Amino acid sequence: MNRHAVGAIYRFEMARWLRTLLQSIAAPILSTSLYFVVFGAAIGTRMGEIEGVSYGAFIIPGLVMLSLLSESISNASFGIYMPKWSGTIYEVLSAPVSALEILAGYVGAAATKSVLLGLLILATARVFVPYSIAHPVWMALFLVLTAVTFSLFGFILGVWADSWEKLQIVPLMIVTPLAFLGGSFYSIAMLPPLWQKIALVNPVVYLISGFRWSFYGVADVHIGVSLAMIALFLTLCIGVIAWIFRTGYRLRR
Amino acid sequence: MLPIISVSALNKVYPSGLQALEDVDLDIARGEIFALLGPNGAGKTTLINIICGIAMPSAGTVRVAGHDNRADYRAARGRIGLVPQELFTDAFESVWATVSFSRGLFGKPPDPAHLEKVLRDLSLWDKRNDRIMTLSGGMKRRVMIAKALAHEPEVLFLDEPTAGVDVELRRDMWALVRALRDQGVTIILTTHYIEEAEEMADRIGVIRAGRLILVEEKSVLMRRLGKRQLRLQLSHALPALPAALASHPLDLSADGMELIYTYDAASDQTGIADLLRELGAAGIDFKGLQSRESSLEEIFVNLLRGHP
Ligand SMILES: Nc1ncnc2c1ncn2[C@@H]1O[C@H](COP(=O)(O)OP(=O)(O)OP(=O)(O)O)[C@@H](O)[C@H]1O
Ligand SMILES: [Mg+2]
C-alpha cells in the first residue's frame, strides 16, 4: 500500500479546495439561506405540516442531499478531469500507485469536502429552523455513503468527459433535475398516483427518503430499500471504475 | 550485469491504426547515458511513455531492473523519474508543494533536505514559494526536472530536455546530467540536437518510423560511420574538376578555391598519397590543407537517408 501517494493526492485536492475556501463555503451558505428565506419563511408559513414535520424542517434533509450530490459530482469530476486536461495526469499514471490508491486520494478528498459541506448546511439551517436528528448514526452513514457514491460517480464522469462541456452537461441535464424531482421540497405521497410510480425510478428519491427518515423517522419508502438502492449504485460505480482501470479507458493511451 | 531497462519485442499500434513502434528491442545498462535520436514522429515519446507506464503496448514487454512494468508495476515504476517533452504543470501550486507532491506520489516519506538539494541544484531554491504559473518557461522546465528527481529515481528519462531552452540553460542541463550520472543515475534522453548526443551520450540509438535502426557506442559509431575530410586550399581557382582526377572522391567548392577529399577514416588505404602525387602531376598547387572528422550530425543525416 502506497500510503504516501494516497496522502499526496488527498492533500493536493484539499489544498485546491482551501485556496478557494471562501467561495467553497460562502456559496453554499448563501444558497441554503436563500432556500430557507423563500421556501421556509415565505412559502413554508402557508404550508401545513407534512407527516407531522413543519415544512421548514421537512426540506432540510433534501437541501443537504441536493448540495451533497452536486458538490460530490462536481468536485470529483473536476479533480480528475483537470489533470487529464492540463496533462499533469502523466505523473499519476507513471507513479507506483494502484487504481485503489488513486481512487482513495481523489474520491476520498471529494467526499470529505462534500461531507464538510453537508455539515455546514445543517449548521446554517439551524439558524433558520429548529430541527432534531432522530437517528444520528444513520444520518452520518447516509451522509458518508452518498458523498462517497456520488464522488465515485463524479470520478467516472471526469474520466469519461473529453471536453468541459461534457463535464458540465451531466450534472446540469441529468443530476439536477433528478435531485429536484427527488422529493426535496415535497413528499412523494403528495403526487398523483401515476407520478408516484414514475418517481420511484428516480434513484434520488431513495436517498432523500432515507436521509429524511434518519432525521424525523418518516419516509416515502422503507429505509431498507433506501439503503439497498444506494448500495446498488455504489456497487455499480465501483464496477465501472474497476473496468476503467483494467482497460485504461480514456486514461492510458 | 542485469540491464536496468530491458525492452523486448515492443509493438505499439495506436487506435488510429498507426504503428508507432515495431519490434523494438533495447537494453539499457545501469549508469549509462543513452541518447535516442530520431526525426519528428519517429516514436521516441511513444517508447518512453510505454516504458514509464503512461501508454499501453500492443505487444512486447518492458522490464525495469528485472521487474515487469505491468505485472510488478510498483517495483518498476518506483525506480523511474520522467521529464516529459511538454511542460505540464499545476499553475496554482507552489514549487515546493509540487515537488513534495511528486515525492509522496512515488511512495517516499517526506525528506525536506533532499528536496532542498534538488531545488538548489536546479537554481530553484529562491523560487520555492512562487506559484508555478509565475515562472518563465525555462524555470518551469527545471520544475519538471525537480519533480522527476524528487523521489531519487535510479533511471531518469528526459524527453527533449533542451527543446526551446536557451544556451545557458542547456549547458546547465548538461552539467546536471553529468552530475546525476556521477551519482549513479542512468539517463535516457531524446533529442533533435545531435551535438547534444555527441556531447553527452555513452551510447546512441537511432529510431526511424518506429524501428530502432541502430544502437551503438558513440565512439564506435563515430569511428565506424565517420568519414574524414581533407580540404585543400588552392593557390589558384579551378573552373572545374580536372578530368585527370575524376577517379577520386573529390568535390570542388563553389568558388573553385577548395578541393574536398572524403575518405573512410577506418581504412588503411586512404589514397591520400596517390591524390597528392596526381595533383602535383596535374600542376595544381595548394597553399594549405586541413583534415577533420565528420560530425555525428553528418552521420545521422546519412543514416536517415538510408545510406550509412
Ligand atoms: N495518442 C496518439 N494517438 C495516435 N497517434 C499518436 C499518438 N501519439 C503519437 N502518435 C503518433 O505516433 C507516432 C510517433 O509519435 P511520437 O510522439 O512517439 O514521436 P516522437 O519521436 O516523440 O516525435 P517528436 O520528435 O516530434 O517528439 C507519430 O506518427 C504520432 O503522430
Ligand atoms: Mg516526442
Side-chain angles (χ1 to χ4, degrees), chain B residues 206-276:
Chain B
V206 178
I207 187 167
R208 182 180 59 183
R211 291 183 152 273
L212 203 53
I213 55 177
L214 175 130
V215 177
E216 192 64 271
E217 299 277 335
K218 181 181 66 186
S219 52
V220 175
L221 183 66
M222 296 191 65
R223 209 172 331 116
R224 186 154 73 89
L225 298 175
K227 297 271 202 268
R228 274 183 165 272
Q229 279 185 346
L230 184 71
R231 302 174 86 98
L232 299 158
Q233 280 83 45
L234 305 177
S235 309
H236 308 286
L238 281 177
L241 264 181
L245 299 174
S247 62
H248 293 288
L250 267 178
D251 290 307
L252 185 67
S253 67
D255 61 2
M257 288 301 291
E258 207 173 41
L259 275 177
I260 301 149
Y261 178 71
T262 308
Y263 61 100
D264 191 343
S267 160
D268 302 333
Q269 303 283 313
T270 60
I272 293 178
D274 289 343
L275 175 72
L276 294 182

Side-chain angles (χ1 to χ4, degrees), chain A residues 29 36 42 55 62 103 117 139 141 159 173 204 220 224 231 245-246:
Chain A
I29 292 185
F36 278 112
Y55 188 68
L103 265 190
L117 183 81
M139 192 282 281
L141 182 73
V159 170
M173 302 300 286
V204 181
D220 291 330
F245 279 107
R246 210 177 47 250

Side-chain angles (χ1 to χ4, degrees), chain A residues 253, chain B residues 14-16 18-21 38-47 85 159-160 190 192 207:
Chain A
R253 272 168 285 148
Chain B
Y14 280 111
S16 61
L18 184 122
Q19 177 132 25
L21 293 176
N40 288 128
K44 302 181 294 294
T45 300
T46 301
L47 177 59
Q85 183 170 357
D159 198 353
E160 290 184 39
T190 74
H192 290 141
I207 187 167

